[in-house]
Structures are given as structure tokens and as C-alpha cells.
């Protein structure tokens, strides 16, 4: 893969040099189901109208046909570009987990460029929520990360059991690391 | 044939519009995704499939499909 973006390794915005990448994930694919269904519905509607025009012989006047053709093409393209934008937005929402932090990167094509980084060792509680049949069958749900002042909610987390276990393990490792640092700092200060 | 010649201007306009929007979307998307960086080797979850190269291919296929649909639609429905 010669693409510079891919070959750049696991670097991402605001990554600290000392951080070691662990894993990343997007939201569950179920997030795209409704936009995809809507796209199919629009296509069926537009194709149906087009076929009615061809075989029904309802609109024979050229000017009417031109107008209807413009309207149909406009709606067809709007439906497709709306889905494409949603698909790109979906890919631009990434959770990157390193050994020290959780980075929530949320961007849109034009209007949004957010990043929220939470230290793993400050997390007091990590909750996992899976409500409903679909969430349990497809194995996704919400992760709620609680720190002293903040609460980070990560909805539509795929393979939530695996992510939950990994986050809990990484938090313990980060706490051990920080406590060791504090201890060595304390020792160095005592005469 | 004279009637069919009239189809060229709207068809070319639609194709140009599709190309411009697709290129604009891809440019914006690529600019943003550059900062995130999708890894190519990871644990085998579904979305590691979408590398930048494959997404570029997807954008090209999507553009061609849209242009084809618009051409077929116009050829069928043009009076």
C-alpha cells in the first residue's frame, strides 16, 4: 500500500509521542441501515415514477416530460449525495484508544472538527449498556466513561464486550503506571 | 435524430455536476481523513476493510454508477 495516509502508521491528530496505539473503532454499521433504506426507498419511488412515464403514457407533452425528468434526476442525485455524505461522516467519527488516552475524533465534511481526549487513569467508572433485542443480537451498545468532572458517552460501540474488557484492562495498566510514577517521584524527593 | 441531439446538453450538464460534487466530497473527505489515518492491519473487524485506496475506488465506482443511471434515465424518458 503506497498511500502516504496508510503508510504513515498509527499517527492521528493530537497523538502524544509516548502514546502506544491499542485499537480504534467506528460506530456499528447499524448506524447506516436507516440512511441506506431511505436511499433504496427514494430509488424505488423515482424508478417507479420513471417507469410509469415510459409505459403509462400519462405525460406525453415534451415540456412536461422535461420538467418531470429534471425533478426526478434532482431527487435521485440528492438522495445519493445525502447517503454519500452520511457514509463519509460515519467514517470520520473514530474512537482511537492508546495505552494512555481515549481520543474521540468527530468530523464532518465541512462544519465540524472535534476531538475529545480523556486520560484512561482518571476514569472512575466504565459502564456498558445494551438495551433491546437488536443491540444484544448484533453485539453493540453504549459505553459510558465517567471521570471526576466529565462523562463521555460512546454510542453504537461495536463488539462492545470486547471493547469493554479491553478498556478496563487498559485503565488498570494506566493506573499502575501512574502510581509507579508517583512513587518514584516521591522517593526522589525524600532525602 | 434532431430530438436526440437535444438530450446532449442536459446530459453533459448532469454529468459535470455529478463529477464536480463527487470530486468536492472526496477532496473534503480525504483532507479530514488524512489526520485520522486508518490502519491497514488490525484486528479483523469490518471497517478495517475501508483503507483510503479502497475508499477512492468506491468513490470512482459511485461516480460512474450515478452517471450511468442518469444517462439511462434520460435515454428512456426523453421525449
Amino acid at each position: 500500500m503506497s498511500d502516504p495516509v496508510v503508510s504513515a502508521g498509527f499517527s492521528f491528530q493530537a497523538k502524544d509521542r509516548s502514546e502506544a496505539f491499542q485499537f480504534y473503532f467506528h460506530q456499528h454499521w447499524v448506524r447506516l441501515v436507516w440512511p441506506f433504506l431511505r436511499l433504496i426507498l427514494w430509488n424505488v419511488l423515482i424508478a417507479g415514477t420513471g417507469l410509469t412515464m415510459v409505459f403509462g403514457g400519462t405525460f406525453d407533452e415534451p415540456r412536461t416530460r422535461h420538467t418531470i425528468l429534471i425533478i426526478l434526476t434532482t431527487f435521485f442525485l440528492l438522495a445519493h449525495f445525502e447517503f454519500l455524505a452520511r457514509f463519509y461522516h460515519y467514517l470520520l467519527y473514530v474512537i482511537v484508544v492508546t495505552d494512555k488516552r481515549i481520543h474521540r475524533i468527530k468530523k464532518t465534511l465541512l462544519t465540524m472538527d472535534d476531538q475529545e481526549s480523556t486520560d484512561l487513569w482518571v476514569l472512575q467508572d466504565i459502564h456498558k449498556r445494551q438495551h433491546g433485542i437488536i443491540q444484544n443480537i448484533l453485539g453493540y451498545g453504549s459505553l459510558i466513561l465517567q471521570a471526576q468532572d466529565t462523562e463521555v458517552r460512546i454510542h453504537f460501540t461495536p463488539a462492545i464486550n470486547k471493547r469493554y474488557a479491553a478498556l478496563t484492562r487498559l485503565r488498570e495498566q494506566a493506573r499502575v503506571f501512574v502510581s509507579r510514577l508517583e512513587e518514584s517521584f516521591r522517593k526522589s524527593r525524600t532525602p | 435524430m434532431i430530438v436526440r441531439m437535444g438530450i446532449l446538453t442536459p446530459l453533459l450538464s448532469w454529468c459535470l455536476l455529478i463529477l464536480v460534487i463527487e470530486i468536492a466530497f472526496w477532496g473534503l473527505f480525504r483532507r479530514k481523513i488524512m489526520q485520522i489515518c486508518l490502519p491497514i492491519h488490525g484486528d479483523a473487524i469490518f471497517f478495517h476493510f475501508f483503507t483510503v485506496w479502497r475508499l477512492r475506488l468506491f468513490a470512482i465506482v459511485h461516480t460512474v454508477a450515478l452517471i450511468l443511471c442518469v444517462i439511462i434515465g434520460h435515454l428512456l424518458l426523453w421525449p
Side-chain angles (χ1 to χ4, degrees), chain A residues 1 3 5-6 9-13 24 26 29 50 53-54 62 65-66 69-70 72-74 76-77 80-81 84-85 87-88 90-92 94 105 107-110 112-113 162-163, chain B residues 14 17-18 21-22 25-26 28-41 43 45-48 50-53 55-56 58-59 62 66 69-70 73-74 76-79:
Chain A
M1 199 65 69
D3 201 305
V5 180
V6 176
F10 299 119
S11 61
F12 50 91
Q13 63 183 82
Y24 83 98
H26 297 272
W29 55 262
M53 267 176 73
V54 173
R65 279 180 88 111
H66 285 164
L69 195 54
I70 289 169
L72 288 181
T73 314
T74 308
F76 175 75
L77 292 181
H80 273 269
F81 287 131
L84 188 68
F87 180 64
Y88 283 155
Y90 171 79
L91 290 176
L92 287 169
V94 190
I105 302 164
K107 297 160 184 273
T108 58
L109 290 177
L110 277 174
M112 195 193 289
D113 198 340
K162 197 173 132 191
R163 310 281 174 223
Chain B
W14 285 119
L17 182 76
I18 291 168
I21 295 175
E22 286 275 1
F25 269 33
W26 175 253
L28 289 166
F29 174 69
R30 189 181 157 76
R31 198 177 57 132
K32 296 273 175 120
I33 206 82
M34 283 282 273
Q35 300 160 332
I36 298 175
C37 182
L38 299 171
I40 46 170
H41 300 296
D43 54 4
I45 67 163
F46 176 67
F47 277 98
H48 287 149
F50 286 110
T51 59
V52 174
W53 185 85
L55 284 169
R56 190 186 290 140
F58 165 79
H62 188 253
L66 280 188
C69 285
V70 169
H74 272 70
L76 275 174
L77 302 178
W78 195 261

Side-chain angles (χ1 to χ4, degrees), chain A residues 80-109:
Chain A
H80 273 269
F81 287 131
E82 199 254 348
F83 179 76
L84 188 68
R86 275 183 181 269
F87 180 64
Y88 283 155
H89 291 168
Y90 171 79
L91 290 176
L92 287 169
Y93 184 12
V94 190
I95 311 292
V96 183
V97 181
T98 67
D99 59 338
K100 291 187 177 64
R101 288 183 195 92
I102 299 168
H103 302 274
R104 187 165 68 169
I105 302 164
K106 194 175 183 180
K107 297 160 184 273
T108 58
L109 290 177

